[in-house]
Amino acid sequence: MDEQEGKHLQVRLTSKDDKYSVGDSPFSIPSSVTCSDLSSLVNDLLTASNAEHTATEFDFLLVDELLRSSLEDSLSERNLSSEATLEIVYFPKNQAPESDGQIQLNDWISSVDCLGSYILSGLFDNHAYVWTKENGQCMGSIPHNASVKSVAWVRNEDNESPLFLTGAADESLRMWQLFPEDGVCQCVHTYIGHGRSVDCLAVDPTGQRFCSGSWDRSVRLWPAIPDNVGAAANGTSAKRKKACSGTGDVDPVDKQPLLTLTGHSEAVSSVTWLDSGSVASASWDHCIKVWDLDTGVHTATLAGNNVFNSISYSPLSSLIVSGNSDRFVRLWDPRSEAAVVQKMLRFHTGWVSCVEWSPNSEYQLVSGSFDKTICQWDIRSPKAPLYSMTGHTDKVMCVSWSEPSLIVSGGSDSQLRLYKT
């Protein structure tokens, strides 16, 4: 790093990983340095103390925000003093997601969810499909009488014959069990109650219950523990195939809702669990409502100025992220009595159709937009995403980051696109 003429600043560079520590002494550096300059400085210092150090690209955190301009500009933008020693924390930069292939389907993809090596997708061709991540093989095709608008895996201990849910525009909501060795999916339950399209699903992290949201403006709570899975799993392959084709003697059992939550004045577009006793729902009525499942009443309302398309909650950050029709990604604290936006993430140029938190980071999330892009964000960098992923040729309609090392997106170009993280 060149010692430029001009103003200098005192900074202390700190790493939480001893492997990258450069000591506690402050440095005098030009105020014009950027993140790249600081990264070069740290690498030079580490190489000086260890000839075997491998060059690493670092990110730098100044007062809870990632450095994305020169130090001088960053201090000016945030009204921070340049007189005191600046405490800067650094860590290895996240690598860019890598494209891991795509699966070309035959219609718009409205929803997607991942479980291990399986990808579950809902399509406008009135079917849901289960795919293998490795080779894009179709493991099952699930029929409805209208567009499948929502899908979700039920995460439990049985990963050999996993359960999943599908909701459709024909008002139907069903639970299925996948039998990979037979290449079939058997309907276990039908859930009776919604009067219009079932557009969103969210399963309790324990796999005990799930909730659904609909164009009938309601949120409904259901049991996720099936009655007859044991019998189905113990049956012969031939019997299962007959049941899945509709010619067998195993009929799905109808289920009624445990609880119906009303209060939205427009369609419910997204639901997410906050904990085992509360959920949040987003609606086209410009509101997010938080519900207590013990009392069946909403305990908080987060009011926006436009349509909410998607929400996701992170138990690591305790924040809700929302995707809205005005191009912005917003962060909300459902515990705050003020019910105001905590932060806005700006990049997209079209509707933000889908959002989801990283399953293992309190800072990272992914968003998809009608502008054909997918963004990986660190909420400590609100003015620009970590990475913008291209490849879709039309609107991005759904995204899943339910597996730590995989982001999957789907859109109106009928493509499932996979990215390694």
Side-chain angles (χ1 to χ4, degrees):
M1 182 177 64
D2 296 332
E3 289 291 324
Q4 305 175 28
E5 295 295 330
K7 185 176 181 179
H8 279 58
L9 302 171
Q10 293 290 313
V11 303
R12 182 177 289 108
L13 300 171
T14 305
S15 172
K16 295 181 180 180
D17 188 338
D18 291 341
K19 174 183 176 181
Y20 298 115
S21 175
V22 295
D24 297 329
S25 300
F27 297 88
S28 177
I29 61 175
S31 62
S32 60
V33 300
T34 63
C35 184
S36 178
D37 297 327
L38 288 173
S39 192
S40 296
L41 171 62
V42 171
N43 276 292
D44 288 345
L45 293 168
L46 292 173
T47 300
S49 62
N50 178 10
E52 296 182 357
H53 167 70
T54 301
T56 303
E57 191 173 6
F58 294 99
D59 248 331
F60 295 84
L61 191 66
L62 174 63
V63 192
D64 298 327
E65 193 165 306
L66 293 177
L67 188 64
R68 289 296 180 258
S69 58
S70 69
L71 272 177
E72 185 174 32
D73 288 345
S74 184
L75 292 174
S76 175
E77 290 171 4
R78 300 162 63 189
N79 295 318
L80 298 176
S81 172
S82 60
E83 302 301 322
T85 298
L86 301 176
E87 303 290 340
I88 300 178
V89 178
Y90 62 95
F91 45 84
K93 189 173 184 178
N94 276 90
Q95 296 302 303
E98 299 178 9
S99 177
D100 195 27
Q102 66 183 64
I103 303 173
Q104 184 65 49
L105 306 184
N106 61 5
D107 210 335
W108 290 16
I109 304 165
S110 63
S111 51
V112 65
D113 193 17
C114 301
L115 178 69
S117 61
Y118 299 122
I119 300 171
L120 175 63
S121 61
L123 270 67
F124 275 67
D125 70 351
N126 303 356
H127 286 75
Y129 299 90
V130 179
W131 310 90
T132 58
K133 181 178 66 176
E134 288 76 13
N135 55 19
Q137 177 185 357
C138 182
M139 300 298 294
S141 172
I142 299 95
H144 282 263
N145 293 321
S147 301
V148 176
K149 304 300 292 295
S150 52
V151 297
W153 290 102
V154 179
R155 287 165 171 80
N156 54 33
E157 297 179 356
D158 185 5
N159 289 323
E160 293 185 0
S161 300
L163 299 164
F164 61 93
L165 301 160
T166 59
D170 61 6
E171 306 174 9
S172 63
L173 175 56
R174 298 170 185 160
M175 174 182 282
W176 306 79
Q177 186 168 25
L178 170 66
F179 296 96
E181 69 278 12
D182 301 328
V184 296
C185 302
Q186 180 171 327
C187 187
V188 177
H189 289 309
T190 56
Y191 297 90
I192 309 299
H194 281 301
R196 295 188 68 183
S197 176
V198 182
D199 276 26
C200 50
L201 294 166
V203 182
D204 172 2
T206 67
Q208 304 292 306
R209 299 182 294 178
F210 72 94
C211 56
S212 58
S214 168
W215 267 74
D216 67 10
R217 300 179 293 181
S218 73
V219 176
R220 297 177 192 249
L221 180 70
W222 314 85
I225 300 176
D227 295 338
N228 56 354
V229 164
N234 293 328
T236 65
S237 174
K239 286 183 178 180
R240 285 198 293 268
K241 289 182 178 179
K242 283 185 178 181
C244 296
S245 66
T247 60
D249 56 3
V250 179
D251 294 323
V253 177
D254 291 346
K255 290 287 186 179
Q256 300 295 324
L258 300 172
L259 184 65
T260 297
L261 307 171
T262 58
H264 284 294
S265 59
E266 296 290 345
V268 177
S269 54
S270 189
V271 286
T272 187
W273 287 81
L274 306 185
D275 53 47
S276 60
S278 60
V279 298
S281 59
S283 171
W284 281 31
D285 64 7
H286 303 184
C287 289
I288 297 172
K289 290 186 180 294
V290 178
W291 304 88
D292 184 317
L293 298 182
D294 291 329
T295 62
V297 299
H298 78 268
T299 56
T301 297
L302 309 176
N305 296 316
N306 46 70
V307 166
F308 285 98
N309 297 314
S310 176
I311 58 172
S312 174
Y313 176 75
S314 169
L316 301 177
S317 66
S318 299
L319 294 174
I320 292 174
V321 60
S322 70
N324 293 74
S325 59
D326 65 351
R327 304 178 288 113
F328 297 126
V329 175
R330 291 176 170 83
L331 301 178
W332 309 78
D333 186 349
R335 304 161 300 179
S336 171
E337 294 182 1
V340 296
V341 176
Q342 303 293 307
K343 193 173 289 189
M344 292 176 63
L345 311 182
R346 299 171 171 87
F347 179 81
H348 288 298
T349 59
W351 278 31
V352 181
S353 52
C354 45
V355 291
E356 186 160 352
W357 282 98
S358 163
N360 58 1
S361 171
E362 63 184 293
Y363 302 114
Q364 293 190 26
L365 59 92
V366 66
S367 62
S369 170
F370 281 11
D371 65 12
K372 309 176 189 178
T373 65
I374 303 153
C375 289
Q376 181 183 356
W377 296 89
D378 187 306
I379 63 175
R380 298 169 296 184
S381 176
K383 295 180 181 179
L386 293 179
Y387 300 104
S388 175
M389 293 163 271
T390 58
H392 281 287
T393 59
D394 208 336
K395 299 183 290 290
V396 177
M397 301 181 71
C398 55
V399 67
S400 172
W401 199 355
S402 50
E403 294 294 318
S405 61
L406 181 68
I407 294 173
V408 179
S409 61
S412 56
D413 57 4
S414 305
Q415 292 182 0
L416 278 176
R417 300 193 71 92
L418 285 63
Y419 303 89
K420 287 182 180 178
T421 61

